[in-house]
Amino acid sequence: MTDTTGSRLLLNRRTMIGAAAALVGAPAILRAQQLFAGYPFRLGIAAGDPAADGFVIWTRLAPDPLAEHGGMPMQPVEVEWQVATDPRFVTLVAGGKALARPELAHSVHVEVEGLLPDRPYWYRFSVGSERSTVGCARTLPLAGASLDRLRFAVAGCQNYEDGLYTAYRHLAADDPAFVFHYGDYIYESRSAPMPVGYDGKPRRFVREHVGQKLFDLADYRRRYAQYKTDPDLQAAHAAAAWFVTFDDHEVENNWVGEIDQENDPPEVFALRRAAAFQAYYEHMPLRRSAFPGPAGMQIYRRATIGNLLDLHLLDTRQFRTNQPCDDGFKTRCKGWADPAAQVMGRAQEAWLATALKQKKCHWNALAQQVMMMPLDRRTGDEPAPIRNMDSWGGYDAPRERVLKMVEGLGNVVVLTGDEHQNYAGVLRTEGGQGDAVAVEFVGTSITSGGDGADRRVGEERIRARNPFLAWTNDRRGYLLCDVTADQWKTEFRTVDTVTRPDAPVKTAGTAIVEHGNATVTMS
Ligand SMILES: [Fe+2]
């Protein structure tokens, strides 16, 4: 056997197909038949950004998710997609072909149009003889159409190392119309060798990040691939369309604008942020309008759901000015009250103000990332108030401007994440001392922070010092919002453990807001 023959024998099937295509001058697009070393839909499927006439459907081909390029040949691959009115695909209503490009990690984003409002559809992908699992997504009711009731979920903060995604399996079973994801879909850190809980004690270690801290595109892609192999996360995506937004950990802890927490040169951090944004787009069911470019990503957007809910999805990271007082949990410094500070930036703030004035729906939800209530974080005998500089609590002027916008509406609910703890409370003007103008529900985390407890250490002091709080809870889970014209109900759905499998779900608290009244009643 000659050397030449020997090296030919080492060629795998994938290489041979590529070589054969090159030899005969075949089109660069591979119409794959048994092209892959493994099942190509191992990252699941997803739908997003539902509208009255359709939604985005997403997948990414990755037969070997953690390998270089997900185990894909670096060529475009044609993927077929189908949408039907039934889960068995008897009645097809839309279908076509999309190109999974190597430039976009072989992800596919199809904006399905021409569907009917306010009903479920089922979708799937295929490539060659391989077929994806089936996902379900509801179209929204027509904007302005009379809608009696809407039920949707709110989730985020899903550190893979901190626990199992049991809560996502329960979320899927709750069958929400859609999911709002407030960010921290991935965490950028390397594996934590000694995980410690909020109580300072060592925490049970559940599973490990592959790879080091994330910096380049391949790093971020592999982290998404690892997270997306989780079956419970895949089930939650398959159950409903998601409105996704990012917070900090999709890029780096507490970044804002072009500033990272290490104060690296902004032009250097901008490269990392661009890689993170590209990977985020590649792995999320986002519309083309969110396609990342030199200016960043357009993530703030709006969904008008019948005559019931205007869902204002905000971006509190890209246009924010630097955290005051050097970030962290701090006592008052001058920067708290800086009138030039921005959380949303001028353009987004004006966009929100204009929509709120139009009063299109019974309710307005500000679906966003970091806590708006100016929480005093003291748990001991510290002499002066302490706030989280990375939340709206570090930005008095922007927070008061938003509260002025919503004053008098009596129909505004703020939906938030980031805290890894459940909170229900009232938003008052004047740093929490003035008039009640809106209600805020802070969702806990899917896993971040580990098992938690029914009450966190120091909770009594937090409650005593922040009378605008109605309720707190430190378990993992998600929110289930059930909205009618007269009443907004939020159920805090929780699991008692994320470090052991199969925890049942329960409703740890139920909050009621009556329309026209910015107060919250707990039961
Ligand atoms: Fe988080």
Side-chain angles (χ1 to χ4, degrees):
M1 199 178 278
T2 65
D3 282 354
T4 316
T5 314
S7 64
R8 213 174 272 154
L9 282 173
L10 288 174
L11 291 174
N12 60 25
R13 180 191 286 151
R14 185 192 314 156
T15 323
M16 285 199 287
I17 289 172
L23 276 175
V24 298
I29 299 166
L30 290 179
R31 290 177 179 80
Q33 298 291 334
Q34 298 300 322
L35 176 66
F36 309 111
Y39 181 59
F41 296 106
R42 289 183 62 190
L43 304 186
I45 42 89
D49 276 20
D53 69 340
F55 37 75
V56 181
I57 56 173
W58 170 95
T59 192
R60 178 190 161 196
L61 305 178
D64 192 357
L66 301 181
E68 193 179 26
H69 308 305
M72 286 294 291
M74 291 309 277
Q75 282 165 287
V77 176
E78 212 165 51
V79 179
E80 290 188 48
W81 58 274
Q82 291 179 322
V83 177
T85 56
D86 61 284
R88 296 179 173 221
F89 290 82
V90 176
T91 310
L92 295 177
V93 290
K97 289 174 182 170
L99 213 50
R101 297 178 185 275
E103 293 92 331
L104 293 170
H106 292 97
S107 62
V108 173
H109 300 73
V110 178
E111 296 195 35
V112 182
E113 296 174 336
L115 306 181
L116 296 169
D118 199 17
R119 64 201 65 195
Y121 289 95
W122 285 263
Y123 62 95
R124 67 184 177 192
F125 298 91
S126 61
V127 56
S129 59
E130 303 283 10
R131 187 170 274 171
S132 76
T133 52
V134 172
C136 181
R138 279 193 80 88
T139 48
L140 297 183
L142 283 168
S146 178
L147 180 64
D148 293 337
R149 188 179 171 200
L150 175 69
R151 217 161 138 269
F152 67 96
V154 178
C157 288
Q158 53 197 55
N159 193 328
Y160 186 83
E161 296 193 314
D162 280 1
L164 306 168
Y165 293 159
T166 316
Y168 267 138
R169 204 181 333 141
H170 295 302
L171 180 153
D174 277 339
D175 193 27
F178 61 82
V179 177
F180 161 55
H181 193 279
Y182 48 71
D184 289 0
Y185 194 99
I186 58 161
Y187 282 71
E188 83 289 5
S189 53
R190 55 159 295 173
S191 197
M194 280 284 287
V196 174
Y198 294 125
D199 54 5
K201 293 179 186 157
R203 189 151 46 74
R204 189 181 153 95
F205 195 54
V206 181
R207 49 189 184 176
E208 202 168 348
H209 280 151
V210 172
Q212 304 179 57
K213 194 171 176 179
L214 311 182
F215 284 95
D216 71 13
L217 182 55
D219 297 338
Y220 284 103
R221 281 173 171 169
R222 186 163 67 163
R223 188 61 52 88
Y224 281 102
Q226 185 181 16
Y227 278 51
K228 279 190 160 285
T229 52
D230 184 280
D232 294 330
L233 176 59
Q234 290 190 8
H237 275 297
W242 291 27
F243 289 104
V244 298
T245 62
F246 54 67
D247 192 19
D248 53 339
H249 290 287
E250 284 84 353
V251 182
E252 191 208 51
N253 185 48
N254 286 14
W255 72 277
V256 292
E258 290 187 348
I259 304 165
D260 69 2
Q261 62 177 359
E262 286 84 23
N263 285 316
D264 289 317
E267 71 278 14
V268 174
F269 175 63
L271 296 176
R272 185 181 178 196
R273 198 187 81 159
F277 279 2
Q278 180 173 341
Y280 183 71
Y281 175 79
E282 288 169 351
H283 293 84
M284 294 297 125
L286 283 164
R287 290 186 182 270
R288 188 84 184 172
S289 56
F291 198 88
M297 288 181 82
Q298 178 67 42
I299 285 295
Y300 72 82
R301 58 203 191 278
R302 180 175 299 112
T304 301
I305 302 158
N307 64 350
L308 199 54
L309 178 66
D310 238 353
L311 182 71
H312 312 276
L313 299 141
L314 307 185
D315 176 346
T316 56
R317 287 281 161 200
Q318 264 186 110
F319 311 106
R320 207 203 293 192
T321 50
N322 203 2
Q323 291 97 343
C325 321
D326 248 353
D327 205 356
F329 283 28
K330 294 286 167 62
T331 50
R332 177 173 279 280
C333 77
K334 213 172 137 206
W336 273 16
D338 181 2
Q342 294 286 345
V343 173
M344 292 189 280
R346 281 178 214 284
Q348 185 179 183
E349 217 175 277
W351 165 89
L352 178 62
T354 302
L356 290 170
K357 277 187 200 132
Q358 289 171 348
K359 298 184 180 174
K360 276 190 187 161
C361 293
H362 285 296
W363 294 94
N364 288 284
L366 272 50
Q368 54 102 49
Q369 296 78 34
V370 287
M371 193 194 265
M372 200 174 275
M373 290 181 282
L375 201 71
D376 181 351
R377 310 262 170 177
R378 282 180 291 174
T379 54
D381 298 322
E382 301 90 335
I386 293 171
R387 289 195 196 158
N388 177 3
M389 295 299 105
D390 187 51
S391 74
W392 289 82
Y395 296 80
D396 276 353
R399 186 187 64 254
E400 296 299 322
R401 285 201 298 273
V402 172
L403 297 183
K404 277 281 170 224
M405 278 182 212
V406 306
E407 194 167 22
L409 292 176
N411 67 359
V412 177
V413 172
V414 178
L415 300 169
T416 303
D418 181 55
E419 294 284 340
H420 308 168
Q421 189 166 197
N422 284 308
Y423 292 93
V426 172
L427 280 157
R428 293 179 172 274
T429 56
E430 298 167 34
Q433 313 284 315
D435 295 334
V437 296
V439 167
E440 181 170 21
F441 296 122
V442 179
T444 179
S445 57
I446 290 291
T447 54
S448 303
D451 285 343
D454 288 333
R455 302 173 86 83
R456 190 177 290 186
V457 175
E459 190 197 83
E460 288 75 16
R461 293 207 175 191
I462 295 276
R463 292 285 297 276
R465 285 186 169 126
N466 297 282
F468 48 80
L469 281 179
W471 189 74
T472 65
N473 162 283
D474 187 25
R475 290 294 183 194
R476 309 288 77 84
Y478 55 94
L479 308 182
L480 201 57
C481 301
D482 196 337
V483 184
T484 64
D486 297 332
Q487 193 183 77
W488 180 302
K489 180 169 88 172
T490 295
E491 287 182 70
F492 290 87
R493 304 281 278 159
T494 62
V495 289
D496 282 347
T497 177
V498 291
T499 58
R500 292 177 176 81
D502 302 325
V505 71
K506 65 181 182 192
T507 298
T510 301
I512 301 286
V513 185
E514 302 293 346
H515 189 266
N517 206 346
T519 58
V520 56
T521 311
M522 291 299 302
S523 59

